[in-house]
Amino acid sequence: MPSPEFTATAIQNLIEEVHDRLRGRREGKVADYIPELAKADPEDFGIVVATADGHIYAVGDSDKEFTIQSISKPFAYGLALKLLGREHMHTKVGVEPSGEAFNAISLDPVSGIPRNPMINAGAIATAAQIWQHNPEAAEATLLGFLSDLAGRPLHVDENVYSSERDTGHRNRAISHLLRNFDVIESDPEGGLDLYFRQCAIAVSCRDLAIMAASLACQGRNPISGAEPLNADITIQMLALMGSCGMYDYAGQWLHDVGMPAKSGVGGGVLAVVPGRLGVAVYSPRLDPFGNSVRGIEVCEELSKRHGLHLYNQNPRAINTIRRSYTGSHRRSRRWRDATEVGILEKLGSRIRVVHAQGVLDFAATEQLLAELTAIAGQASVVVVDFNQVLELPPTSCSILLGQVALLRAKPITVLLSRADHLPSLAGLDHGLPTLPTIDAALEEAETILLQKERPELPSLQAPQPTILDGLDPDYRAILNPLLELTGFRAGEPAVQRNQSGDTLYIVVDGIFTTRIRLNLSNGTKKATRLSTFSSGMCFGEIGFLTGQPRTADVIADTDGHCLLLRREALDNLGRSRPEVVIALLRALSSELGSKLASASYQLTLLEHY
Ligand code: GLN
C-alpha cells in the first residue's frame, strides 16, 4: 500500500541540496540606495521551482515577502502590450539590449526613446503609458494583473514605496528627460509614481516562481488556470528578458545560464524554462550589477547540472507516431460475412491507421506527415487518430490539412478519429469525416475499402446465407416452422442486459450492435460496442447455449429482421428428432469457434500494434 503521507521527492531533495550548498555564500551587498531596502536580512535565502504541471518545490525563505522591484518590469511591459498593442509600444520603447546598468540614463541617440523596457528609462516610459491610458485605474489594473499571474492578491509595501519616492532623484530625472523627448507626453510625475508603486509590490519567492511558471506556460497560470497573458505577448516578454533581463550582465547570463530571467534590487530573481518551469530565488545580497549573488548561482547551477539552458535542446526523443498499422492487423468490431472477410483479408493492408500523440508542434507535425507520406504508396483509406494528441496549434493544423489534400488527390480517402478535443480541427470546415471512436473509424474505413475494391458487390447489406443454409434441406424444412420472423425498428433493443437468454437470433437483414457498459478505472462508466452483426450472422447464441442471462444489450442500428429460435422449441424437437438438433448445434459451435478464433487473433495483434 502506498503511504498517503509520502511526499518526499528527489526534486525537492535536489533544491534543498543546492540551497544548503550556497547558503554559505556571503558575497555581495544588500541594496541601500533606497533606504528602506537596507533593512532586508542579508541571510534570507529561498528557492522555489514551479512547474508547468503546477507542482511546487520550495526551500528556505520561500514565503517571506520582499519588494518585486525590477522584476515588475517585464510584467508591466506585458500589460502595456496588452492594453496598447505592440505597434504603439514600439514607438515609445525599443527592444535592443543596452549593455548598460539598470539605472543608466540611456536613450537612443536618434529617436530619443529608451533602448528597452528592462532598464529604468524603458520601464518608466512603460509605466507612463499604462498611467496615461487610464490614470485612475492604472495601479489597480497593474496590481490585478500581477496578482493573477501570482495566483493571490498582492499589495504595495507603502514603506518601500515612500522611501523610493522620496529618494529616487535619478529616476525622477530620467522621467523628466523622457518628457523632454516627448516619449512621455504629459506630466511625468504620474507615470513615475506608478513606477515607484509597481517596484514596491510585495511578493514572495513562491509568488515569483508561479509568475515565472505562468510565463513558461505562455501566459497561463498553471495553478489557478487564469490566463492574464497570451502566447504572443509572453514570447515578446521572454525575448526581452533573454536579451536585457540581467542588464549589463545579460550577454554573459544568456551564454552561461540561458534562461530568460529578471532580477530586482529587492533580492529576487526569476528565470523561465519555456514550456517547462519557473524558478525564483530570494537572497538580498547583490553583485555590482544589482543582481542577487546567490540568485545567479542557483540558476547557473540548475542550468548547468540539469541541462536547462535554452539552447541545450535534446534532439526530439518523443515519437509523434504512437502506433501505425494496417487494416489487416486490426479489424473493427463489425462482423462481416464470408465474402467481405475474404476481401478484407486480402486487401486489409490498404487501410492504414496512424495514431498520433503529444503536442503537434512544427517538428512533431513533420513526423506525422513523414509517416503519412511513407504509407501513402500502399494505402487506399487512411485513418488518423488524435486521441492522444494534446494540442494541435492552428499553424500545424493548416500544414496537416495541406498534407491531407495531397493524399486525397492521390486519391486516398482520409478519415479522422477522436479529434473533438482539438479546437483547431473541430472549428474548421475541413469536410473530413471525423469518427468518435477508433472502432467506428475502422468500420468506416472497411466499408469504404469494400466499396472501392469491389464496386460490383450489389450492396453490403444484401441478404447473406445463414447457418441454416449449411444444413441438410430436410432438416431445414423441419426447423422452418419453429423460426419466428421478427422485425425491429432502428434503435429498438433486440436483446436486453439481464434478460433470460433463451432465444437465438439469426439476422436476415439490417444491422445489429452489441453494446456493453465498461467500468473505467476513473470510476465512470462508458458505453462501447462489442460487435456489430449483419445479414447471415447470429447473435444471442451464448445465452441460448448456456442458459445464462444476457450480459449486453443488442440494438438494431437500422430497421431489420431476425429469425428467432426459442430454446423450448429446440428442446421439444430434441425429443423427436435429436439428429436435427445436433446438426444445428454443430453449425452453431462452428460459427462460435470461428468468432472466437478471430477475436483471440485480434486480441493478440493488439499487443503488437
Ligand atoms: N525601483 C528600483 C529602481 O528604479 C528598481 C531597480 C532594480 O530592481 N534593478 O532603482
Side-chain angles (χ1 to χ4, degrees), residues 3-255:
S3 147
E5 66 277 10
F6 180 82
T7 54
T9 86
I11 304 283
Q12 177 67 29
N13 293 348
L14 184 150
I15 65 161
E16 283 178 9
E17 191 239 317
V18 174
H19 186 267
D20 228 41
R21 194 141 26 86
L22 296 177
R23 202 189 352 228
R25 298 295 302 262
R26 298 214 154 69
E27 294 94 327
K29 241 178 109 291
V30 174
D32 58 6
Y33 75 99
I34 299 172
E36 195 65 20
L37 291 185
K39 295 184 181 165
D41 181 347
E43 292 307 323
D44 282 351
F45 187 19
I47 307 177
V48 179
V49 172
T51 70
D53 294 332
H55 300 141
I56 293 190
Y57 305 92
V59 57
D61 301 300
S62 51
D63 290 311
K64 184 159 181 179
E65 289 190 343
F66 52 95
T67 53
I68 188 169
Q69 298 300 336
S70 284
I71 303 171
S72 62
K73 291 170 178 173
F75 295 101
Y77 185 66
L79 177 62
L81 289 173
K82 188 172 161 178
L83 296 175
L84 299 156
R86 179 187 176 126
E87 311 273 278
H88 175 76
M89 284 311 292
H90 283 193
T91 67
K92 295 295 171 190
V93 191
V95 291
E96 284 299 332
S98 70
E100 289 179 286
F102 69 85
N103 56 3
I105 303 186
S106 144
L107 306 178
D108 185 281
V110 182
S111 63
I113 67 172
R115 306 270 183 163
N116 66 66
M118 301 295 126
I119 52 170
N120 287 9
I124 292 169
T126 302
Q129 287 303 316
I130 297 174
W131 182 78
Q132 233 171 265
H133 176 67
N134 187 344
E136 285 76 46
E139 181 179 333
T141 307
L142 183 63
L143 256 178
F145 175 69
L146 288 171
S147 301
D148 281 348
L149 287 158
R152 71 169 186 120
L154 301 177
H155 68 276
V156 172
D157 179 328
E158 297 294 340
N159 293 333
V160 175
Y161 158 69
S162 38
S163 179
E164 186 171 20
R165 180 197 59 201
D166 298 344
T167 58
H169 309 302
R170 193 181 175 96
N171 284 334
R172 183 157 284 113
I174 293 175
S175 72
H176 283 265
L177 201 59
L178 291 169
R179 175 70 191 90
N180 176 64
F181 282 108
D182 269 337
V183 174
I184 298 177
E185 297 113 330
S186 55
D187 174 19
E189 290 295 327
L192 179 68
D193 193 62
L194 180 63
Y195 172 72
F196 287 149
R197 292 193 72 73
Q198 113 187 10
C199 288
I201 291 172
V203 288
S204 67
C205 198
R206 182 183 302 267
D207 294 329
L208 290 182
I210 297 173
M211 291 164 82
S214 302
L215 295 184
C217 297
Q218 302 189 315
R220 181 181 158 275
N221 182 322
I223 292 167
S224 71
E227 250 173 284
L229 280 168
N230 63 30
D232 201 36
I233 294 178
T234 311
I235 294 167
Q236 297 174 63
M237 290 164 66
L238 289 173
L240 282 165
M241 287 162 68
S243 59
C244 322
M246 306 302 271
Y247 313 114
D248 29 351
Y249 187 60
Q252 190 79 39
W253 174 267
L254 186 62
H255 185 272

